[in-house]
Amino acid sequence: MGPDALRGVYSALLATFGPQQWWPAETRFEVMVGAILTQNTAWTNVEQALARLRARIPLSAEAILALDAAALADALRPSGYFNIKALRLRAFCTAYLEAGGFSALAERGTPALRTWLLSINGVGPETADDILLYAFDRPVFVVDAYTRRIFTRLGLLAGGGAPDEGLSGKKMGYESIRQAFEQALGPDVALFKEYHALIVFQGKRVCRQRPLCGQCGLRGSCAAAAVSSQP
DNA sequence: TACCAGGAGAAAA
DNA sequence: TTTTCTCATGGT
C-alpha cells in the first residue's frame, strides 16, 4: 500500500466531498464520550444521547460518575446498548480521573497513552485511536469498518470478498492496517483527521441504493467512483 | 418487517 | 487461537 495510492484516494475524496472539519464535538472530553457512544452505532443516535446527557448534567467525568447508574443508562438510551455503554462510560471516567485528567494524560507519550486507553474496559483499538487522534491530536490513523471495506475493494488491502459481503469479510489485522496507513502517509495529524472523516462521511452516505458499488462495496456515490473520476 | 449503523468483550469451538 | 454470540435503539 504505497503513499501515492493513499494520497490519491484522499485527494479524490476531498475533491468530491470537501473538508469535513471533524470531530463533531465542543470539547475534547466530549470527543472521548462520543467515541465510546458511537461504538457500532450511527452518529445521529449518539447526538440524541449526548443531548439527553447534557440536559441532565454538565459533560464532565465528575458529573457522569455522580449521576445515578440507572439515570445514566436512561440518558444514553438513544445510542443503543445503553446498559453496556453506561458501564463503559463510567469505567472510562473513573480511569480518566485516576490518571489526573486531560492535562496529566497529555504529558504521556503516544504509545503509553494508547496502552492506557486499551487497558480500560470498553475501549478497544478503534475507540482508543479515535480518542488519540481527535482528543489528543496524536498522529494515529483510525481504522474502522468503512476503511477496511473501501480499501479492500480498491485493492489496496489484502483480504475481503464479494462486493455484497458486507463489512465482515476476511480481514487484515487492525494493527497491520493502521501501521500500513501511518507508514505510507507519515505522521500528519491534520491529514489523518480529515482522511478518516472523509471515509466515514462516504460511508454514511447511505442512499439505500442497490446493488452496492462493485468497486468499493458501498452504496450511492462511492469512494471508488470518486477516485476513478479523477484525472 | 427487515436490515443496517463509525465495536468490544465474553463465551464457545 | 479463532469464531460466534451478546448487547439495543432509531432510521429507512
Side-chain angles (χ1 to χ4, degrees):
Chain A
M1 190 158 59
D4 291 344
L6 289 187
R7 288 184 180 276
V9 173
Y10 173 74
S11 297
L13 289 171
L14 186 62
T16 304
F17 303 125
Q20 302 300 305
Q21 306 294 324
W22 256 32
W23 180 290
E26 295 178 3
T27 67
R28 294 180 189 273
F29 184 74
E30 188 176 327
V31 171
M32 304 182 212
V33 174
I36 292 170
L37 297 186
T38 197
Q39 291 170 355
N40 206 33
T41 301
W43 182 255
T44 52
N45 293 357
V46 176
E47 286 181 321
Q48 293 181 45
L50 285 171
R52 286 164 64 99
L53 192 56
R54 276 198 219 93
R56 289 165 169 77
I57 55 170
L59 214 52
S60 69
E62 293 88 345
I64 288 172
L65 289 174
L67 190 61
D68 176 72
L72 178 59
D74 181 68
L76 302 183
R77 183 175 289 272
S79 71
Y81 307 112
F82 52 86
N83 288 315
I84 284 183
K85 286 179 179 175
L87 291 172
R88 290 178 178 175
L89 191 52
R90 289 176 69 88
F92 175 80
C93 289
T94 299
Y96 181 79
L97 292 178
E98 285 178 355
F102 186 86
S103 299
L105 287 166
E107 293 177 3
R108 301 190 186 190
T110 300
L113 194 51
R114 192 165 194 269
T115 299
W116 173 77
L117 284 165
L118 292 173
S119 73
I120 302 169
N121 188 284
V123 177
E126 184 182 335
T127 304
D129 291 343
D130 272 333
I131 292 172
L132 285 168
L133 179 61
Y134 291 102
F136 287 94
D137 294 321
R138 303 302 173 92
V140 175
F141 198 89
V142 179
V143 178
D144 64 358
Y146 292 124
T147 308
R148 289 178 185 278
R149 186 152 80 176
I150 289 172
F151 288 90
T152 298
R153 298 296 179 267
L154 290 173
L156 299 174
L157 286 179
D164 61 352
E165 189 177 13
L167 296 176
S168 58
K170 185 178 178 62
K171 297 173 180 176
M172 283 175 67
Y174 182 97
E175 289 304 316
S176 59
I177 296 174
R178 181 175 69 85
Q179 289 172 15
F181 271 89
E182 291 175 5
Q183 287 172 10
L185 296 172
D188 189 331
V189 171
L191 173 65
F192 288 3
K193 284 183 176 180
E194 193 61 42
Y195 209 149
H196 178 65
L198 285 163
I199 289 169
V200 174
F201 181 77
Q202 160 60 36
K204 285 166 65 178
R205 300 178 73 255
V206 176
C207 67
R208 299 288 169 188
Q209 176 180 312
R210 291 180 185 277
L212 304 180
C213 170
Q215 295 180 71
C216 75
L218 295 173
R219 301 183 184 87
S221 181
C222 71
V227 174
S228 62
S229 68
Q230 299 300 304

